Amino acid sequence: MNSSKKNAVTTEEIPDEIISELCDKYYYTLKNNEAISKFSFEERLSAAHEVIEGYREIDLYFYRRTSDDFLPDEKQRVSNCVLPVNLASNDYLDFAQHTVIIDAGISAMKKFGAGSGSVPMLAGTTPLHKRLESEIASFTGYDSAITYNSCYAANYGLLTALLTQADAAVLDMSVHASIIDGCCNTNKIFFRHNDPASLKIALMKASVFKNKLVIIDGVYSMDGDIAILNEIMQLANENEAWIMVDESHALGVIGDNGKGTHSHYAMQQKADIITCSMGKALGGIGGFIAGRDELISFLELISRPFIFSTSIPQNVAAQLIKAICLLQTDSSLHKKLWRNIHYFRKRIDEMGFEENQSASAIIPLIIRDEVKLLNFCRLLHDDGIFVNPVFYPVVPKRKSRIRISITAALSKDELDYALDRIEAAARSLGIIQ
């Protein structure tokens, strides 16, 4: 997709019926297990290819874009800001571009090479990996930590190792897909999102199982709201259940200097387990699990993604060590992030978008009409605003949205430019009045 191409289709030239047909084919064919199970391999591949090519043909395929897809030149200045304005990044503190962190990575790469060369259980654990895990444990307040090459692998590896058919995972309905996938070998009982009353009922249903693990996100990735951790932990304790919190969108963002959900609530008691991506606020890649020493020992021996996956490169480990150090010693980017969040959120609320419960760097713009959503994304794309549409099954049906991510990298000029273009596009499509 490139909005600079000469014969790009304009929004007015795309019949709504074409967009609806493509959305339906995606929803009710590709994402419908009953429907897709009737297809041969070739038919399944062809269906996916037809959907992508259909969106590309009408210039509405918004995934896997690069900066070159927005403008003839890689960078262009408009109103004192560099386009595209990236409102889709999870690099909340701009650590991926921080010179001190980059220098730490370069130094480690020159010293240790470009990769670890093995899985952690064999030759892939170096002093840098052990130091990183020690720093994570200290920062989060847990006995020990273990690192994986993605948080998906961490969540999947933890849950498939820990939970059996004798156990039950008690899941908030909005937990990340990696958590749901990780519960493939156990009993799943869902409760309404962030609803302690519903959790209480779910825990009663789970009482027949040997072990119960309540699983929540600290900050939810699609709505940006914060888990009611204090109430949820109390219910878990009363029902002799363990609790796991995925801190991927919380660490570095909420709490004292970004220490996460426990800090946000000033809680001394810790969840039994936390997991977290190191590819968001920490600006690197990989994931970690923190908990008791015994839990980490168990995972070292049992967790297949840990045992059979190459460890993160040493340069990334060095970068992450530096990032954790900066979180504790320099609050300037954390403060800037929150200035940007408050400023952007205030303007969005004044425009009249549908209310939401966001209390973090994630700000959803709910647009229940998928046709309007795609046209909205197209108008913003053409103005150099990088946002992504989110559809079912990632979010519930009729709750499609643009998921805005605010970062410390954004200047006030960039925020103002993006906000002005968002308001103009939304009014032109009747999304706001």
Side-chain angles (χ1 to χ4, degrees), residues 34-271:
E34 183 178 350
I36 206 72
S37 66
K38 299 174 183 177
F39 287 12
S40 68
F41 287 157
E42 287 295 337
E43 288 171 328
R44 295 174 194 180
L45 304 188
S46 294
H49 187 66
E50 286 172 12
V51 168
I52 290 178
E53 289 305 305
Y55 278 123
R56 281 178 174 158
E57 187 175 334
I58 58 176
D59 215 23
L60 286 177
Y61 189 68
F62 295 106
Y63 301 106
R64 295 185 65 91
R65 288 175 290 169
T66 72
S67 59
D68 289 346
D69 294 321
F70 286 81
L71 300 160
D73 301 316
E74 185 174 344
K75 290 186 177 181
Q76 176 176 319
R77 290 194 170 273
V78 175
S79 302
N80 297 317
C81 62
V82 177
L83 300 185
V85 176
N86 191 346
L87 299 181
S89 173
N90 293 325
D91 182 20
Y92 297 120
L93 297 174
D94 199 28
F95 274 4
Q97 303 300 320
H98 199 295
T99 55
V100 172
I101 294 172
I102 292 171
D103 288 345
I106 291 171
S107 177
M109 182 176 284
K110 288 180 177 178
K111 184 174 182 179
F112 299 108
S116 63
S118 185
V119 300
M121 284 294 282
L122 301 179
T125 296
T126 69
L128 276 175
H129 292 95
K130 297 300 289 185
R131 182 182 166 196
L132 172 61
E133 291 171 348
S134 177
E135 294 290 343
I136 290 168
S138 176
F139 179 67
T140 58
Y142 283 86
D143 292 343
S144 297
I146 188 171
T147 54
Y148 291 71
N149 55 20
S150 74
C151 192
Y152 186 102
N155 283 338
Y156 187 86
L158 165 70
L159 296 169
T160 52
L162 187 63
L163 298 173
T164 73
Q165 280 295 318
D167 310 315
V170 183
L171 303 159
D172 186 293
M173 293 179 68
S174 295
V175 291
H176 192 266
S178 61
I179 292 171
I180 296 173
D181 291 353
C183 295
C184 57
N185 297 326
T186 194
N187 303 282
K188 296 186 286 290
I189 300 173
F190 290 91
F191 64 95
R192 287 193 300 272
H193 174 52
N194 229 0
D195 186 335
S198 180
L199 171 60
K200 188 173 183 179
I201 295 170
L203 284 166
M204 290 174 61
K205 293 178 181 177
S207 62
V208 298
F209 295 101
K210 180 71 174 177
N211 301 290
K212 303 177 288 292
L213 179 64
V214 177
I215 309 175
I216 61 175
D217 289 358
V219 168
Y220 286 90
S221 61
M222 287 298 125
D223 288 308
D225 55 336
I226 301 172
I228 309 172
L229 181 59
N230 45 2
E231 296 183 42
I232 291 172
M233 280 190 63
Q234 181 178 343
L235 281 170
N237 292 335
E238 290 171 358
N239 288 271
E240 298 181 332
W242 283 19
I243 184 164
M244 165 187 158
V245 184
D246 184 325
E247 289 283 80
S248 294
H249 292 279
L251 190 140
V253 178
I254 64 172
D256 183 27
N257 264 23
K259 293 197 77 170
T261 312
H262 294 88
S263 175
H264 174 78
Y265 287 105
M267 295 175 63
Q268 297 302 312
Q269 183 185 7
K270 297 284 187 182

